Amino acid sequence: MVNFGKSLMADQLEEWKEYYINYKMMKKKVKQYVQQTQNGGRDREQVLKEFSRMLDDQIEKIVLFLLQQQGHLASRIEKLGEERAVLMEQSDSFQISGLREAYREVGLDLMKLLRFVDMNATGIRKILKKFDKRFGYKFTDYYVSTRANHPCSQLQQIFKQVGIVAVVGALSRNLAFLQDHQGSFPSIYDHPSITLKDPIIEQINHSVQKLTHATNLLQFIGQHALIIPEDMQSGSEDLVDDQSYHFMSLLLNLANTFLYMVNTYIIVPTADDYSVSLGAAATVCGVIIGSMAVAQVFSSVYFSAWSNRSYFRPLVFSSIMLFLGNLLYALAYDVNSLAVLIVGRLLCGLGSARAVNRRYISDCVPLKTRLQASAGFVSASALGMACGPALAGLLQTKFKIYGLTFDQNTLPGWIMCLAWIIYLFWLWISFQEPDHIVRENSVDTPSSDSCHQRNGNLEDGLSQPFLIDAKERLDENGDDNDDNEEDPEDSHKPATSLAAAYRLLTPSVKVQLLIYFMLKFAMEILLSESSVVTTFYFNWSTSTVAMFLAVLGLTVLPVNVIVGSYVTNLFQDRQILVASEIMVLIGIAMSFRFTSHYSVPQYVSSALITFVFAEVLEGVNLSLLSRVMSSRLSRGTYNGGLLSTEAGTLARVAADMTITAAGYLGQNSLLNATLLPSFVICVASIFATFCTYNSLY
């Protein structure tokens, strides 16, 4: 793997050579400063200020050249506009076609400029990381806090491409006008929903969106699933085409996601009643609900590894385990065994194939539809979360067939048994193993962890996210390889164990995983104890609890629409992150019972605040996690998706065990006893966020 310094020299345009960041010189300076500070020859503050001035000079050189080139492009567009005005009067279609090509030539030059910005932005990010690594993460905090938000900051010119976006707008408008030489094509400004189907403009728009971290609804929801990082890293390097892509197989993965979430939450409204009917305390519902999450801790690992070789077999195994688990859950009442009930839920957890569902979307769905598929994954999860309790609310009946009891406690198990049998039949006749899995299983060829390959052309380079392109992320853990004794090949290999993956976690990644743990813990406490709490304080029926949980679940998609479409365009992700954490803390604090009287409005309003802002927090948290995580955690079995899944699953386990343990204090103390850990963890996550705030770009 070529290190970044060498690739920068190899990829830069010869005529612009003097305007690129002098990465080699900056790297040597870092080494010198380290040696000088270790020998006592330089004060750290003096080094910081001197290196800051040096980096300021480099950024100024880049920005001034960028502005100069933008001016040249603007002048060319202006001259072409004059030619267009003359040609429109003549209606010469041949010359209009030539003019259209001239505009596209400007577009190609603009793509070169975008690549110039991308490479320099990567250099800036890498040199900041290198200085952080050598000086204890101090320099980025100092530099970003004093430069990024300053009104005269030139760093903002690299972060926010206002001038380039204006040039793109001019190109799009003129090409749209020329698409119909009569000039009847509607203006892009009057009809913003109309997109120009021009390959050059599409490539430029895609590049600009990556450079500016532009966040639309699909991208936000896709990041919510932590599927987008692999997309981002691979950019447009896509081996999956429309011929090899099988829509029905994708639909089966989404159906698996939906049914699993229904299976998870369908028992929540009745778990306390079921445990009481078997002679246990109502708070044992925490064990019943949490046992599924306990098994998922282990199933996530083997399903992630299994998906390297097949997608069909893991899904079949998942369906069988979930069928058996639900069968035992339903039979537990008639055999009067709490152990059978818990074993059934454990088997359901062992059938959790969410790692396979994520992996299929990231590896085997074409790039152009991956965002929609990622959004579908989150939507299927949200819909299943809402449908589970709602379905439980409809099962308020009781009858017997051949000695088997069918009531509100056992019917969820029987219904899910039937659902998984139907799904298994559908899976068996409709699923198609991806081509790359078939090839790897039939012939001994070098394997790949995804359906992608790299081709390294200009458009591919531009499709990488701003300041996080593939080369930069592949090198960031190898410290550029040229001054690292570690084998370059080893420095880019995926983690081979959870311990190896943990060693790749930077403080920023650890904090984001802590936040993810916190929000999952708070949500699980809220959902799992809802039936016990509302029955004790408000005497709610099972149907009322089910309706309440369904309403909470239905808020997921509207919240994602609002945040993804509007809020993320107004505020930085890190600002939304902190605000959401504070609101979750407020929601938790409002949930405490401070007096002898605990009202329905207090409980419902605090639950809505906690749940809604936890959902907002989850999307932003996973978006930031995708940016700060090492590229080595984007591939292989022990990837970032697995780590986040494990963090969330462990949080659910801890929350459910907390509910059961707090039950020994009595139901009167249950609410406050379970909310206290949520409050403490939330405060800790907010403190940790502020400690790493300036490292969250």
Side-chain angles (χ1 to χ4, degrees), residues 9 122 177 200 246 315 329-330 377 391 442 491 530 556 620:
M9 296 294 293
T122 300
F177 188 85
I200 297 297
H246 191 235
L315 291 176
Y329 184 87
F377 178 86
L391 184 58
S442 60
S491 69
S530 59
V556 175
V620 178

Side-chain angles (χ1 to χ4, degrees), residues 586-608:
I586 292 172
I588 294 172
M590 288 175 58
S591 300
F592 280 92
R593 183 172 66 89
F594 298 103
T595 64
S596 58
H597 177 67
Y598 193 62
S599 66
V600 172
Q602 179 186 352
Y603 177 76
V604 172
S605 60
S606 61
L608 279 172

Side-chain angles (χ1 to χ4, degrees), residues 648-672:
T649 303
L650 287 172
R652 290 173 53 204
V653 172
D656 291 322
M657 296 304 103
T658 299
I659 293 172
T660 300
Y664 289 101
L665 302 176
Q667 291 192 27
N668 190 51
S669 303
L670 175 67
L671 183 65
N672 287 353

